[in-house]
Amino acid sequence: MSIWLITLWSRSAPSLLLVGLLGRQLGLRVGLQDVQTVACSRWGAPRSQGLFQDGDVVIGGLFIMHYQPPATEHDFTQLPHYKPCSGLDHAPLQYVYAMVFAVEEINHSTMLLPGVKLGYHIFDSCGQVPWALPAALSLVGGGSTSCYSTEYPEFSAGYGEEIEDRGGDQAVPLIIGGASSVTAQILSSTLGQLSVPLISYLASCPCLSDRLRYPNFFRTIPSDIYQARAVAHLAINFNWTWIGAVVANNDYGLMAIKIFQEETQGAGVCLAFVETLRRENIMSDARRAALTIQASTARVILIFTWYTDVRELFLQLTKINVTDRQFLASEAWSTSGDLLQNPSTSKVANGVLGVAIRSSSIPGFENYLKNLHPIHHPGDEFLREIWEAEFGCIPWATSLFSYVTTTKWPSHPSNNITSSPAMSVLKASLSPCNGTESLERVQNLFTDTSQLRVTYNVYLAVYAAAHALHNLLSCPDSNSPSGNNSSTCSSPNNIKPTELLQYLNNVNFTTPQGEMFYFQGADIPAKYDLVNWQSTPEGALKLVLIGRVDGFDLHLNESAIQWSTGSSQVPISVCSESCPPGTRMASRKGEPVCCFDCIPCAEGEISNKTDSPHCERCPLEFWSNAKRTACIPRQLDFLSFNETLGITLTTFAVSGATVTTAVFVVFLYYRQTPMVRANNSELSFLLLLSLKLCFLCSLVFIGRPSVWACRFQQAAFGISFVLCVSCLKVKTIVVLAAFRSARPGAEALIRWFGPGQQRGSVCFLTCIQVIICAIWLSLSPPVPRRDLGFQGLKVTLECAMTSVVGFSLVLGYIGLLACTCLILAFLARKLPDNFNEAKLITFSMLIFCAVWVAFVPAYVSSPGKYTVAVEIFAILASSYGLLFCIFAPKCFIILLRPEKNTKKHLMAR
């Protein structure tokens, strides 16, 4: 592009200073020898392709009024022989007249620029950078037709200095234009060398906010960063976590999706896919994107691209009948009339939710547009084209001819509209207008003022320029940005762009609509409209305002939204359904974080909110409820008399005590018989009493543990069993002594171990256990305690052994007596007698020892209240073993075989 620029400027008549500046901006080495001669002809757009009004101060304007460049667009060497652009675009033409209207409004104001007439020079750029750049340079250069010197010192002349014979049009100190971001970047870089401000009404690239690269650039449209953030906030607001994206394959689309991802990071929003569209391959790219949308589970699709690309995408979606997607629109197509009025894509486009350039009203502008008439604007070529297109006639042909032939622009055959082939054909096919034509009843994009968006941005740009000029021309210069209070004031004929640039940076005013306006660097505070495409009863789509975006604040009327599904319910677009309370999210391997499984919380853990990333453990005294949604206090659990296990153990204990009592009664009734009197009946009665105590002490272990219950149960258990085993041990010793006394010289043994010594031995052995229990219970007794270590809804209330040593001594002493008794009974088992009680004691002690050996591991490993149940079971099992092994055979003889209850029979060998 740099080569044709040099060719272009070397064959036209701009200031050579501009050529050198732009050459340096583009990184070219432009030598003076490359520009030998300069044609003395005007360069830039001819007067027939623009609107002009002279004034004390003239501002420039660049607009895309035609969308078809001339046929010679690539023959840049023929630029002076300019052929007009064609294909008038109604919407940008409204922007042009918004600038004209604003200038006329300011000129009629007594508060803004009083005594100063504001003029304008507006050119058509045809939407092409090669035409916008020369037009801009023509505006800032003044469009002189005189020849300039080609000596090197003339290149270094400043913008504000007069160059030889600078006649012609007045140079503009400021330009409103740069409809696209690319055009704005090139214009700003070029004009920045001259410090000429450029105010864009539509360039939204975030790159233009860089004040180091573009210090002279301003805009009245927010940066695209803010609309990407607004769309991200919409997705977060409606809990859309699974979104597809279709973006333009350029800075506009790629930057927007990057900002969207950054803004939604941490909010759980994921992109299901990102499809890019290229203008040169729009058919195939749109088809591919449509198939991706159809295959995806995402129900919300974000689209950041130009409306022509969206139109092709919607056509492809219509072909494959995809009509249930909710689309999020960027401002590039959210208000596109072409899409709204396209019946072939209405089913796909229904319910579109988008961010749009904010709209505002301009009082009097609608009447101004509808009252436009060629007869009042004889030099307005654009108005003539509107008349020809709308009414099919040639307005005021005579006046037009007069204007063209008397124009001060260089007379070249190509510039003479009346002599051009196009004009000849036009005049041959159209008849003159009758003068009754009016725009009052015309309905098109030019006359539609229902939602002024870009038009209002142009309006604001003119007012920003006017306020900066007003501050610059005000005297004394007390508000100077530089703080220099000088008595010398700037005059309309001596406005330096560098000074105007300083004032523009500090402009701050209230618009006629009552809004505060100021620049933040190159930008203005971000404000957007939120729009919704809603179907009408006729089947067409209409644009409805449903909210606004003000900075980071989202003001939305959700009840006014019509969704693509046709219902009032917000569409759901998620990869995985939300995890309800009581579950947690578990990411799927290799998939985005939005795709997950819901795992129920474990026992003792809860999650009380939706989509909880983890479960929280309940405090020790609490447990999770059945739904795992709340922690509830753990219920106290202990072995009670009301539960099945407690009732069963109680029954066995009472039954054992009853049987023992019955045996005691039988023995007491038959106390004179040999069977009862044999082997010291007192010990037998004492043994039965101790067994009854053993059965009854197990009842102390059942019920709610208390301080005294914990102390008494272990003492009762230890003393009762020691008493029982002591009686058995003494009875075994008596058996051994009785048989040993039959030997010569052994009579003294039985006399020495008589009834008194037997009772004393039982008492002595029992007292030792009493002393152990007393010391244990006085120093470190068992206490009631909640066992929080057991995981479950219930917390066990148990008697905790604060001293394991004391409990071990109690059990150890019982075990020592039992083992001693077992050994003695085992030694006496074969003594000659028909009824040897030592055999019964041996069997009973074997059962006793087996039960308590098994008790230890069962006691240690049993959880909660089952620890107590194990101990009760051991007490009952050993007690029943002793009762039945020792007394069952005797009761059998006493009650059922009385003939054997004789001394002769008992002593028989």
Side-chain angles (χ1 to χ4, degrees), residues 10-33:
S10 64
R11 291 177 177 268
S12 55
S15 167
L16 296 182
L17 168 63
L18 299 179
V19 178
L21 288 174
L22 187 58
R24 289 200 304 272
Q25 181 66 26
L26 297 174
L28 302 176
R29 299 181 59 85
V30 183
L32 299 181
Q33 66 274 15

Side-chain angles (χ1 to χ4, degrees), residues 634-640 643 703-705 785-787 790 793-798 863-866 868:
R634 296 170 71 175
Q635 302 174 8
L636 288 178
D637 187 32
F638 52 87
L639 187 60
S640 68
E643 59 182 301
R704 184 187 181 96
R785 187 182 66 183
R786 298 180 180 183
D787 184 10
F790 177 68
L793 178 60
K794 297 181 178 180
V795 55
T796 303
L797 183 61
E798 62 179 7
K865 64 183 180 181
Y866 296 102
V868 180

Side-chain angles (χ1 to χ4, degrees), residues 103-116 463 470:
V103 170
E104 293 183 5
E105 197 174 57
I106 292 168
N107 285 337
H108 287 89
S109 172
T110 59
M111 302 298 295
L112 188 59
L113 290 176
V116 178
Y463 266 89
H470 178 86

Side-chain angles (χ1 to χ4, degrees), residues 841-862:
I841 296 175
T842 302
F843 285 118
S844 65
M845 294 313 299
L846 282 174
I847 294 174
F848 183 89
C849 291
V851 168
W852 286 102
V853 168
F855 160 77
V856 175
Y859 181 85
V860 173
S861 61
S862 297

Side-chain angles (χ1 to χ4, degrees), residues 11-12 41-43 76-82 412 414-415:
R11 291 177 177 268
S12 55
S41 61
R42 176 182 173 84
W43 65 291
F76 301 111
T77 61
Q78 301 299 321
L79 188 61
H81 310 293
Y82 186 86
H412 191 279
S414 65
N415 287 343

